[in-house]
Amino acid sequence: MTEFDRHSSGGIPTLDAGADPASLGPATPMSSGSIQADEFALVHEHGLELKARSQWAYARKRFFRHRLAMASLIVLIVILGAGVFAKQVAPYAYDQQDFAHSGQGPTLEGHHFFGTDVLGRDYFSRVVYGIQTSERVAFLVAFLSTLIGTLIGAFAGYYGGATDNLLMRLTDLVLTLPGLAVLLTAAAFMGNGKPTRVAFILAFLFWTGLARIVRGTFLSLREKEYVEAAKAAGSGDVRIMLRHMLPNAIGPIVVNATLIVGVAILTEAALSFLGFGVQPPTPALGSLINEGQNVSSTMWWLVTFPGLTIVLIVLCINFIGDGLRDALDPTQRRLRA
């Protein structure tokens, strides 16, 4: 049955878009002349208001109904929030040593929730600061690669011709490069392993996939009627791309940017594990696993907790990306979770 909401100010019932007007009851016969004054007042008093919803409102509603994505979003906010407020969350400094409690397993005593390493450093604090480092690298990589990929893909798809060939051949060239070899070589030459440098190295390789997606989207959008109308109205190319075409391509861009965060965290952890990423004393999740691998048989917590943190972050990001893809797809009619 159709439900009607009472208007807050005038007691006017409202009808959601798509509801059957017949549910209001039988229509009153009307004469061929003008509506009488009392009938007009009755219609005005009990008039209907259609609730208009934008495409973003429908996307937001679909995402909120995606239970797995919402649960992952809550968990991810908790984890990343701990990294942002590491100084307030961590019970110790990441480099504080306590030889009296070195090699201690996970315990509530002394707030050593993840145990301590061979130097007595609290591993929960080091993991929290490692989350801070990883998210700093990941979000910078996502921003830079999304910006580069969107610009290159938009120009290639909108202008086509020689511009498209030049930009796509550049994209293909970067795609043919062996990713791990380039990352290791660049990290070795750049040295120091600061998080910002690692982020720039990763962003150099991660923009290619998004550029191809945006190019394909813009190739389709530039043939639409509203783009032709904007050109006829005298709008410039930049205005057409930013005002008319980019909003219609924002769905794939957002989903891809979300997934890049997870890939960047995994890649940064792998580089740090191999010794080419973020270097000590700055804590990183990959380097924490590397530090504990030699004593993993006796101090299992030194490898387990950083590894579980990486897996949990990446899983949450992938589930959120899956929810965003379903929510932003206008053809999606069913929720899979």
Side-chain angles (χ1 to χ4, degrees):
M1 296 179 64
T2 305
E3 296 183 358
F4 301 93
D5 299 327
R6 185 67 59 180
H7 194 276
S8 59
S9 60
I12 300 175
T14 60
L15 176 63
D16 287 339
D20 186 7
S23 60
L24 294 177
T28 302
M30 300 178 63
S31 63
S32 58
S34 62
I35 303 177
Q36 300 295 331
D38 54 344
E39 293 179 344
F40 179 80
L42 183 63
V43 172
H44 177 73
E45 180 182 356
H46 298 287
L48 299 177
E49 289 184 3
L50 293 176
K51 291 183 178 179
R53 291 181 180 177
S54 66
Q55 184 63 33
W56 289 108
Y58 282 110
R60 183 169 60 250
K61 183 178 179 180
R62 286 195 294 266
F63 180 77
F64 287 160
R65 292 174 58 190
H66 199 294
R67 294 186 295 272
L68 189 57
M70 287 301 300
S72 300
L73 180 62
I74 294 173
V75 174
L76 187 64
I77 289 175
V78 173
I79 296 175
L80 298 185
V84 172
F85 301 101
K87 291 184 179 180
Q88 291 75 26
V89 175
Y92 301 92
Y94 66 85
D95 55 353
Q96 181 177 343
Q97 301 179 4
D98 183 8
F99 292 102
H101 297 89
S102 61
Q104 186 177 17
T107 178
L108 297 178
E109 182 181 354
H111 302 291
H112 298 302
F113 306 117
F114 290 177
T116 60
D117 61 7
V118 293
L119 298 178
R121 295 174 296 186
D122 179 63
Y123 233 60
F124 176 75
S125 301
R126 292 181 65 77
V127 168
V128 170
Y129 277 97
I131 294 173
Q132 184 183 69
T133 302
S134 296
E135 67 185 4
R136 187 189 311 168
V137 172
F139 284 111
L140 183 57
V141 170
F143 172 76
L144 292 176
S145 60
T146 300
L147 179 63
I148 298 172
T150 302
L151 289 176
I152 292 180
F155 277 95
Y158 181 78
Y159 289 107
T163 303
D164 182 24
N165 288 330
L166 177 62
L167 294 177
M168 285 301 100
R169 297 300 75 75
L170 174 63
T171 303
D172 294 338
L173 176 62
V174 177
L175 282 171
T176 58
L177 298 176
L180 184 59
V182 172
L183 290 173
L184 295 178
T185 304
F189 276 103
M190 294 184 70
N192 294 332
K194 293 183 178 180
T196 51
R197 294 187 178 182
V198 175
F200 277 103
I201 295 173
L202 296 178
F204 173 74
L205 295 176
F206 284 2
W207 60 268
T208 54
L210 180 60
R212 295 169 70 92
I213 293 174
V214 174
R215 171 188 176 265
T217 304
F218 270 61
L219 282 173
S220 174
L221 291 176
R222 72 176 184 176
E223 305 298 333
K224 300 295 183 181
E225 290 79 3
Y226 62 86
V227 175
E228 298 294 336
K231 291 180 179 179
S235 298
D237 293 339
V238 176
R239 177 179 174 83
I240 292 175
M241 286 190 288
L242 294 180
R243 184 70 182 271
H244 301 286
M245 301 178 70
L246 186 60
N248 290 284
I250 200 67
I253 294 174
V254 170
V255 174
N256 191 272
T258 303
L259 298 178
I260 285 178
V261 175
V263 176
I265 289 178
L266 278 177
T267 308
E268 181 274 327
L271 286 176
S272 299
F273 177 79
L274 295 174
F276 292 91
V278 179
Q279 300 295 321
T282 304
L285 295 176
S287 61
L288 293 179
I289 298 176
N290 185 26
E291 292 175 5
Q293 66 171 341
N294 294 328
V295 292
S296 59
S297 59
T298 56
M299 300 181 185
W300 55 268
W301 55 90
L302 300 184
V303 175
T304 302
F305 290 115
L308 287 177
T309 303
I310 295 174
V311 171
L312 188 59
I313 291 175
V314 175
L315 277 178
C316 289
I317 291 174
N318 287 335
F319 288 142
I320 292 172
D322 186 62
L324 286 174
R325 182 190 60 199
D326 293 344
L328 294 173
D329 185 3
T331 63
Q332 186 72 24
R333 290 292 179 264
R334 294 184 57 189
L335 295 176
R336 295 183 294 171

